[in-house]
Amino acid sequence: GNWKLEYFFREDIRPFEGQMIFSSKSQNIGIRNKLWANKKNRLNWFIYYRDLYVADTTLENQNEDKNLNGRVEYHLNLLKGALTGSLFYELGKGMEQKKEYSYVEVPVGEGIYTWIDDGDEIQELDEFEIAAFQDQANFIKVFSVTNEYQSTYNLSFNESFLLNLKRLWYKKKGFLKLLSRFSDQFITQIDRKLLEGNSVNYFNPYLNTRGLDELVSLKSMLRNVLYFNRSHSVFGIEWHHLLNSNRIFLINGFEERGLSEDLIKIRLNWNRSWQSRLNLTKGENRNASDWMTIKNYQIERYELEKSLQWISGRKSRLSLKYRYASKLNILNNSNEKAIFNDIKLLWQYNLVNKSALTSSISYVNINYDGSSNSSLNYIMLEALQAGKNAVWQLSWNKNIDK
């Protein structure tokens, strides 16, 4: 393999009362290596050791420390390209500032969040939700750091694999020919920060962090998609499995959002002009906070969506969609329930100047027996009202060439 030894020395000086004062220094030594570098496998790794000395704690927001940082990168290409993948793993130690956030008003349509006032006309942190419609998005979330620091172990882990059986058995017959129509894509992304603890396995990317006191922040995503006839021009089926989690430690406590979802997509192209789609979804949305309990929920949802689309050349397409959805908040046996029946007519027209005009009109009927919790109502009703709703949208998009 290809070995490389590195060393560097760092010294920091900071301004204080009109003078530049020596504050800290560090010595760093590292080793890099490439174990494999061929058409089928490629593995790179490095390890760094850092020795930090702090001369003046009034100038540095960190303590003296000795730690190791490491990284591994692996790429594979096997079975004549039927199995390809990559893996990235990095572990290190650092300092994390505690955070707090606020919401800042911006022009309508340029934000992400909307304010749901409880009637007192006072903006409070538990009164903001992600806007369902662009004309309601007039707030952004702004994070600010505090002067409180904590030592953390930081892990970053990404892996991606693609299995395409068509490359192996496309020319086969019988059962192997059937299997060649399947393919699968698997992706995992994890970014995690943990406080130091005696019984914590910092090296394990799949560590169960639920209820773990040492957890500072976590962003994780797992997605698997199983395809049948992925590139077929007439018929295809997809099964999407998704797990998302986002948890952050703020100055007031924890806030966590989670999503788990299974989605089956079935497509059928009758001819060049007519297409139909069927989507079946089972999912759960979670929100938990130990300091804003009014925003906590755990919503189970089931959805069915059918659509019929007519395509006229490359310029125009007209779609008729129907959606049925059932949403139930099961947190603390509260059992707020919403039933949606949604009919939508959507038209898209592509213009010659690389722009597209899209318009839609929907009729949405919602049966809801929930509480008066404004934040929960917004989520359960998707920014609409219980009963009969009419929604129309008009948008114009243009691609600007460089």
Side-chain angles (χ1 to χ4, degrees):
N2 183 10
W3 292 84
K4 186 177 181 180
L5 179 65
E6 299 178 351
Y7 171 83
F8 67 91
F9 174 83
R10 170 171 169 167
E11 187 174 277
D12 293 323
I13 58 175
R14 300 185 183 276
F16 182 73
E17 296 182 352
Q19 296 182 344
M20 301 301 293
I21 306 298
F22 167 64
S23 61
S24 66
K25 65 178 180 180
S26 65
Q27 297 187 76
N28 304 266
I29 186 170
I31 301 176
R32 295 178 180 269
N33 178 247
K34 292 183 179 180
L35 288 182
W36 303 313
N38 52 52
K39 293 182 179 179
K40 294 183 177 181
N41 296 277
R42 190 169 74 251
L43 176 62
N44 306 325
W45 64 271
F46 78 79
I47 295 178
Y48 267 90
Y49 173 77
R50 181 187 185 217
D51 187 354
L52 174 65
Y53 167 75
V54 177
D56 193 335
T57 56
T58 62
L59 299 178
E60 290 286 347
N61 291 314
Q62 53 185 329
N63 299 318
E64 293 185 5
D65 195 16
K66 299 178 181 180
N67 59 74
L68 281 172
N69 295 308
R71 176 189 296 177
V72 176
E73 298 179 22
Y74 178 58
H75 301 269
L76 65 87
N77 188 324
L78 303 175
L79 302 175
K80 301 178 182 180
L83 177 61
T84 59
S86 64
L87 184 145
F88 175 89
Y89 177 92
E90 185 175 37
L91 183 67
K93 191 176 181 181
M95 299 294 295
E96 175 79 4
Q97 287 180 283
K98 292 184 179 181
K99 299 180 179 68
E100 58 186 359
Y101 67 82
S102 60
Y103 293 91
V104 177
E105 189 169 4
V106 296
V108 174
E110 296 184 8
I112 299 176
Y113 297 86
T114 187
W115 176 33
I116 309 170
D117 187 20
D118 61 2
D120 60 5
E121 299 184 356
I122 299 175
Q123 294 180 7
E124 300 178 13
L125 292 180
D126 59 0
E127 296 178 349
F128 291 85
E129 294 292 343
I130 296 176
F133 301 102
Q134 197 64 31
D135 62 338
Q136 298 177 338
N138 60 332
F139 284 88
I140 59 173
K141 181 187 287 188
V142 178
F143 283 90
S144 57
V145 295
T146 68
N147 293 325
E148 298 183 51
Y149 285 77
Q150 50 197 350
S151 178
T152 59
Y153 286 89
N154 308 327
L155 180 141
S156 181
F157 179 77
N158 299 297
E159 61 179 343
S160 174
F161 297 98
L162 175 62
L163 178 63
N164 186 1
L165 298 180
K166 184 177 180 180
R167 289 183 172 269
L168 285 178
W169 302 318
Y170 180 68
K171 295 182 179 181
K172 300 292 183 178
K173 296 182 179 180
F175 183 67
L176 292 181
K177 179 69 172 181
L178 176 64
L179 288 181
S180 71
R181 296 177 178 270
F182 286 89
S183 61
D184 189 272
Q185 186 177 43
F186 176 81
I187 298 174
T188 301
Q189 297 176 352
I190 299 173
D191 289 294
R192 188 187 68 205
K193 295 180 180 180
L194 295 173
L195 297 176
E196 187 171 359
N198 296 327
S199 60
V200 178
N201 185 355
Y202 306 104
F203 300 92
N204 181 9
Y206 292 107
L207 176 69
N208 183 9
T209 58
R210 184 168 295 276
L212 190 65
D213 294 334
E214 289 82 1
L215 182 64
V216 175
S217 66
L218 173 67
K219 292 182 179 179
S220 66
M221 184 274 291
L222 184 150
R223 183 174 71 236
N224 188 83
V225 185
L226 178 64
Y227 300 93
F228 177 76
N229 278 353
R230 182 178 186 181
S231 58
H232 199 274
S233 60
V234 178
F235 176 75
I237 302 176
E238 302 174 12
W239 173 27
H240 296 245
H241 179 68
L242 176 65
L243 296 175
N244 258 348
S245 182
N246 189 339
R247 193 181 195 197
I248 187 172
F249 181 70
L250 303 168
I251 191 68
N252 298 318
F254 276 104
E255 185 172 359
E256 179 179 9
R257 286 180 180 268
L259 166 67
S260 58
E261 183 177 88
D262 285 282
L263 168 63
I264 295 177
K265 293 183 176 183
I266 302 175
R267 60 177 175 83
L268 178 61
N269 300 331
W270 301 93
N271 50 47
R272 292 185 177 181
S273 299
W274 292 94
Q275 300 178 355
S276 58
R277 301 288 187 269
L278 175 64
N279 294 341
L280 303 171
T281 305
K282 176 186 177 182
E284 181 180 280
N285 298 75
R286 302 179 304 278
N287 192 84
S289 172
D290 59 0
W291 61 286
M292 286 193 301
T293 56
I294 193 174
K295 296 186 67 173
N296 293 352
Y297 56 77
Q298 185 178 358
I299 300 174
E300 288 184 345
R301 55 187 175 87
Y302 297 86
E303 297 186 18
L304 179 148
E305 182 177 299
K306 298 185 291 184
S307 66
L308 180 65
Q309 186 176 85
W310 174 71
I311 302 175
S312 177
R314 297 182 177 179
K315 288 189 175 182
S316 180
R317 61 180 59 198
L318 184 68
S319 302
L320 179 63
K321 298 182 178 182
Y322 169 75
R323 170 178 172 250
Y324 170 86
S326 173
K327 303 172 71 173
L328 178 66
N329 180 30
I330 62 174
L331 183 67
N332 299 326
N333 296 318
S334 54
N335 293 327
E336 291 99 345
K337 188 175 183 179
I339 301 294
F340 288 73
N341 284 279
D342 181 356
I343 299 176
K344 175 185 285 189
L345 185 65
L346 184 145
W347 174 68
Q348 180 176 331
Y349 187 79
N350 297 320
L351 304 175
V352 293
N353 58 349
K354 295 183 179 181
S355 62
L357 182 66
T358 304
S359 65
S360 66
I361 184 170
S362 304
Y363 168 78
V364 187
N365 186 36
I366 306 175
N367 293 323
Y368 182 58
D369 59 359
S371 65
S372 60
N373 183 328
S374 299
S375 180
L376 179 62
N377 286 354
Y378 190 86
I379 299 297
M380 292 286 289
L381 300 178
E382 301 175 4
L384 300 175
Q385 300 292 326
K388 300 177 181 180
N389 299 264
V391 181
W392 68 273
Q393 293 179 324
L394 179 65
S395 64
W396 177 66
N397 299 313
K398 179 175 174 61
N399 294 327
I400 301 176
D401 296 332
K402 295 183 178 179

